[in-house]
């Protein structure tokens, strides 16, 4: 969200956090222009065709509250927090979870102040930036692999229609994407800086002024996390994939994450809390370890040092799996598993 425009990137997500940039939309006019909000509202009902014939709509939209937060809260309330998630980014790698919340904040509607009238999610942007850069560095199948028979490729056994497999986390960009957008996607670098007390810490710094594409990607990733994509079981993904083969309709689009007739992916609250305590008790970890794991993952090393000891992981995937295990244990404490979104995720830029 900026003074003169709203920028939206629509991303689609698949198994293993494989992702596709579906659309890039620029809505002229900022929060002071009523028509800009109308166009953003219309985007929530828009559908995009999938190559299998189904139509996908936005399941979860994350919108930044860094500029004109009151206007963002008011619009989000009108659309419903089931589809729209106001977010606020925070720096640093010391967060216990990449996304936390929601917390209730005051909102304004019709000139009246509504106490706890909006829900706000907090996003550890440094974590998702590091993940995005790591995904962008993943090796991809060659043209020869794409044309060859179905086989494992770099340890990945998920063949696509042509036989080759993309590793989990692969980022797919369309041919129409512009050079300026690409520069914005990699507009920052991770550097080590010294604090006033002489301690080293990791910090993302801009290489150029405009970084809207990276911001949009980070908040789209947060939307996927809020929707539950990191925690969906295999049955959930199979249901979503089955929907892609359905005939397109205006009233029953594919990509529905909470279809009628589908059992909710959520246990009773008491059971969820009990299970969570079991996970926490069975998993030996500390906040110091989690912080060290994130620093190592962001810097590209597989050696993790903390509490006077060092642990060597076999690969970056093993290291990431350990991070995810701890994050899932923590995420289970704050709320039941959310039941929300696959299709597209987007946000407005600051």
């Amino acid at each position: 969200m900026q003074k003169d425009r709203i920028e939206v990137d629509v991303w689609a997500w698949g198994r293993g956090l494989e992702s596709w940039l579906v659309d890039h939309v620029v809505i002229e006019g900022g929060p002071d222009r009523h028509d800009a909000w109308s166009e953003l509202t219309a985007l929530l009902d828009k559908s995009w065709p999938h190559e299998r014939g189904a139509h996908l709509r936005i399941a979860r939209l994350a919108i930044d509250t860094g500029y004109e937060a009151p206007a963002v809260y008011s619009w989000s309330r009108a659309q419903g927090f089931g589809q729209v998630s106001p977010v606020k980014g925070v720096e640093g790698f010391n967060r216990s979870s990449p996304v936390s919340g929601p917390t209730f904040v005051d909102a304004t509607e019709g000139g009246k102040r509504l106490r706890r009238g909006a829900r706000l999610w907090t996003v550890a942007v440094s974590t998702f930036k590091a993940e995005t850069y790591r995904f962008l560095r993943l090796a991809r199948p060659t043209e020869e692999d794409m044309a060859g028979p179905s086989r494992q490729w770099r340890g990945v056994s998920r063949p696509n229609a042509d036989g080759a497999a993309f590793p989990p986390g692969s980022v797919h960009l369309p041919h129409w994407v512009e050079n300026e957008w690409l520069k914005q996607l990699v507009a920052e670098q991770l550097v080590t800086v010294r604090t006033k007390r002489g301690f080293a810490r990791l910090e993302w710094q801009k290489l150029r002024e405009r970084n809207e594409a990276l911001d949009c990607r980070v908040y789209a990733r947060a939307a996927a996390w809020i929707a539950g994509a990191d925690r969906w079981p295999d049955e959930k993904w199979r249901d979503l994939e089955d929907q892609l083969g359905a005939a397109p309709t205006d009233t029953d689009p594919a990509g529905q994450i909470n279809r009628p007739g589908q059992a909710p992916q959520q246990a009773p609250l008491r059971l969820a809390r009990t299970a969570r305590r079991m996970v926490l008790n069975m998993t030996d970890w500390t906040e110091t370890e989690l912080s060290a794991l994130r620093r190592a993952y962001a810097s590209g090393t597989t050696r993790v040092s903390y509490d006077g000891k060092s642990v060597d992981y076999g690969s970056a995937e093993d290291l990431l799996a350990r991070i995810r295990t701890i994050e899932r244990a923590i995420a289970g404490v704050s709320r039941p598993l959310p039941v929300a979104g696959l299709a597209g995720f987007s946000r407005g830029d600051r």
Side-chain angles (χ1 to χ4, degrees), residues 1-324:
M1 184 72 63
Q2 289 190 340
K3 184 177 180 179
D4 61 345
R5 70 188 185 280
I6 301 173
E7 295 212 17
V8 183
D9 280 346
V10 180
W11 287 87
W13 300 88
R15 289 176 185 261
L17 296 178
E18 194 169 351
S19 61
W20 294 260
L21 178 64
V22 176
D23 204 353
H24 172 67
V25 180
V26 179
I27 300 174
E28 297 299 333
D32 295 334
R33 178 173 170 263
H34 181 270
D35 288 346
W37 292 111
S38 298
E39 291 179 41
L40 187 59
T41 300
L43 197 64
L44 295 176
D45 290 326
K46 182 178 178 179
S47 63
W48 289 264
H50 188 272
E51 64 180 359
R52 296 187 190 174
H55 282 191
L56 300 175
R57 290 180 181 171
I58 292 176
R60 178 72 64 162
L61 183 144
I63 181 168
D64 190 12
T65 59
Y67 182 78
E68 289 293 343
V72 173
Y73 293 148
S74 178
W75 178 80
S76 300
R77 276 180 55 84
Q79 309 314 313
F81 295 114
Q83 187 179 19
V84 177
S85 299
V87 295
K88 177 182 71 172
V90 293
E91 298 289 345
F93 290 92
N94 60 345
R95 312 291 295 186
S96 61
S97 176
V99 181
S100 58
T103 57
F104 291 91
V105 296
D106 294 346
T108 303
E109 188 172 288
K112 293 184 178 181
R113 179 173 171 269
L114 301 176
R115 186 172 179 274
R116 296 167 57 87
R119 302 174 188 176
L120 177 65
W121 297 83
T122 301
V123 180
V125 296
S126 295
T127 300
F128 284 148
K129 286 176 183 178
E131 179 189 80
T132 295
Y133 274 54
R134 179 170 292 278
F135 285 170
L136 289 172
R137 290 196 297 266
L138 290 173
R140 301 171 67 87
T142 64
E143 292 184 5
E144 208 173 277
D145 293 324
M146 295 292 289
S150 176
R151 61 182 181 276
Q152 286 199 346
W153 181 79
R154 292 189 181 275
V156 180
S157 57
R158 295 184 302 104
N160 62 18
D162 298 315
F166 288 93
S170 293
V171 179
H172 304 275
L173 301 177
H175 63 83
W176 49 258
V177 70
E178 298 179 352
N179 286 336
E180 172 60 25
W181 188 94
L182 293 171
K183 292 177 181 177
Q184 292 178 16
L185 184 64
V186 292
E188 299 185 19
Q189 64 178 349
L190 187 64
V191 299
T192 302
V193 299
R194 293 283 175 180
T195 65
K196 292 181 179 180
R197 300 179 63 182
F199 295 105
R201 65 180 176 85
L202 294 171
E203 179 181 285
W204 286 96
Q205 293 183 355
K206 285 186 177 182
L207 296 171
R208 65 199 307 272
E209 183 58 31
R210 295 193 60 180
N211 65 341
E212 292 95 317
L214 180 58
D215 279 349
C216 285
R217 164 71 187 196
V218 165
Y219 288 127
R221 176 66 180 91
W225 195 99
I226 294 169
D230 295 67
R231 303 170 295 283
W232 284 337
D234 187 63
E235 294 77 10
K236 183 73 169 179
W237 284 111
R238 280 204 300 267
D239 174 55
L240 289 165
E241 290 161 355
D242 289 344
Q243 294 179 45
L244 295 178
T249 69
D250 292 333
T251 57
D252 188 25
Q256 294 185 72
I257 54 180
N258 205 7
R259 284 202 297 170
Q262 295 294 317
Q265 306 278 329
Q266 176 176 328
L269 182 58
R270 180 177 297 178
L271 177 60
R273 286 177 175 169
T274 302
R276 202 157 106 252
R277 283 196 295 270
M278 292 173 60
V279 171
L280 291 173
N281 291 337
M282 290 165 50
T283 306
D284 183 19
W285 61 272
T286 65
E287 292 286 351
T288 304
E289 180 192 3
L290 181 57
S291 296
L293 285 164
R294 286 174 172 163
R295 287 195 300 271
Y297 183 74
S299 60
T301 181
T302 56
R303 168 165 288 195
V304 181
S305 301
Y306 65 97
D307 293 339
K309 61 182 179 181
S310 296
V311 178
D312 289 313
Y313 285 80
S315 65
E317 287 70 26
D318 293 338
L319 193 152
L320 181 60
R322 176 62 174 167
I323 294 174
R324 291 288 180 257

